[in-house]
Amino acid sequence: MNQEQYLNYVLGKLETAIEELSGNMESSRTEIAKMQEYYWESYNEYDEFGYEKFDNDRLLREEMDSHGELVRKYARYVKMKDSPYFAAVTFRYEDEEEEETYYIGIGDFSPRKGDVPLVCDWRAPISSLFYDYDVGKASFVAPVGKIYGDLLRKNQYKIKNGKLLYMIDSDIVINDDILQKELSMNANARLKSIVTTIQKEQNAIIRNEKDKILVIQGCAGSGKTSVALHRVAYLLYHHRKQLSAKQVLILSPNPVFSEYISHILPELGEENILEMSFDLYAYKELKKYKDTEDRYVYLERLLTLPEKEAWEYQARVAEKQSKDYVLELNEFVLFLEDSLMNFRDFNYKKMHRTEQELRTLFYDKFPDIPILERLKTVAEYVIDEEETLSGKELDPLEREIVIDKIERMYESKDFYVLYNRFLAESGREPIRENAKVIPYEDVYPLLYLKHLLYGSVKRSGIKHLIVDEMQDYSYMQFLVLSKMFDCPMTILGDREQQAAPGKLDTQTLCKEIFGKEAKLLTLKKSYRSTSQITRFANRIAGIENEEAFERPGKEPEWILSKNESEMQMKIIEKLTNGQNDGFETTAILTTTEEQAERLYVALKDRLDVHMLSPNSSKMEKGIVITTFYLAKGLEFDSVHVAYTPLEEKLTEYQRQILYIGATRALHELTIYSIK
């Protein structure tokens, strides 16, 4: 059977399977409707103990779960009709003469349960041969152990609309021609799946199950986020019974980035995972007291303050996120064990405890209970003793009275008040009582203090955590994360792309906080931009040891203008004279939000442009105007970086900003300076 015949054979079997699934789905829907109808008709006739209701609920849930699985399989098979597979490996097992060919696609496909798969899922053990080995001796890890043999052939396919466009017989990991074609495609306002071009070093991260916490330093364009999402898809595939999409959380920078990556897992046959920003979590934890500033407010303030004030502000923020500040807060809480308490004799009806008895319980009996939870524990101990002596349970209202009377021995339980006391006692300026929001520099110290005083409730419902843009997290933020989550993590970022001044070594920081459980990995090769753009960006940032996939393109252009109006006109000319034809996504990047708004007002009547702000929920196709920090993690066909100082006048921070902007570009890059 030749390649065309095999493709048609698979497509025919897929069509039959889709028709059968359609019928099964209809039958399942009918069965669910009947069960629901029976439920309501018989609701009043169920036995008094609820056994019948329990059984009916269980059967209905099972039927609905089964229906959901049918729907997911149907969607996967329909998607596979366009391109059932993208690769094949021919393998001869050790000590055997016969060779076996396995076709690899985005999902498994067998005509019948128990049949040999016509297509293997890219996450299946056998599929690792395609990503990890050249032709020759090879092995893969199967449930029964490591399997050895010879990889005889590797084929790569381009199939579209069920038609074989071309096939490459390749003896290397991923044929450069295929990779070149994929990387040369236009961006379409959403992150691309890399399942057809996963590289060996990326595959090692995706399939890593032995390390609990992976901390990945990856250069711009190395596929960090894609690798993390494909890793989640891999783990969901191999641990169906232990892990579901609802138990995976990604801490993403903003809603635009969340939407930008939201289609990847559904494309790979999985449900979407949970997402939120760390700033949103902090807001929810602290909103009882005040609103909180987020990272974007901090960056805008840093970028718009006069230089001296900006550096003083940055120093203050850095200090309050540092390890030394953490140690100061720890010492303050130890000091509170004495200074916060106002012990006295306790009396309520027949219940009596002396001041000394309460002190002994507080300091000796329950020393490991967080300080602001400890008196409640003491009160419950006193209540338990009374109930044991009296032989009867205390009335719920009386329990509350006892707990309240004992907890009044705290001078204050308000950790916001206590944090202000810490600031005052350490010679720092307290947060003003009439302040409407908590300043950004105090948000995470407050959150950390809350964990110290009340204890940390582990998020047991989350079984895998992804932290993206790790370079923008501080020592204190990672410490809070370590207290919140006790689950496997994938932490990734690029120290060269820190949005604030400086280049924090986050990998070392994570190793210090998470200890031996943290495995440090590096992705050094960039695949996003053309060779010319990558070399330009590396020169600006002073990077020397970064590899790049060789993809030729135009040299970046640096355009000078006399004033802002002339710069705006040159941007308009550049985007209206045909040079932007063929690009689906174009970004005009500024340093500050105020610059972006000015540029939008100047351009909106001449060009079809969209403004991307911290409140935006998605990235539009076409021309987008936004700041460099909101563009982090995104990619565009063409990028125009505006308001850039002349190269010889760039400060270190401005070089960071330009590097972030330049590395957003896939195919073309233009920089605009005002003389």
Side-chain angles (χ1 to χ4, degrees), residues 43-72:
Y43 185 79
N44 294 323
E45 300 174 14
Y46 287 146
D47 64 275
E48 61 179 305
F49 301 106
Y51 295 130
E52 288 181 83
K53 181 179 181 300
F54 176 81
D55 283 341
N56 277 284
D57 287 346
R58 178 178 55 80
L59 291 170
L60 179 59
R61 278 196 304 273
E62 289 175 358
E63 186 63 38
M64 292 181 77
D65 288 344
S66 175
H67 180 75
E69 185 57 39
L70 289 172
V71 170
R72 285 189 289 275

Side-chain angles (χ1 to χ4, degrees), residues 216-231:
I216 305 158
Q217 158 61 34
C219 64
S222 58
K224 298 180 293 294
T225 303
S226 292
V227 166
L229 293 171
H230 285 68
R231 172 169 162 75

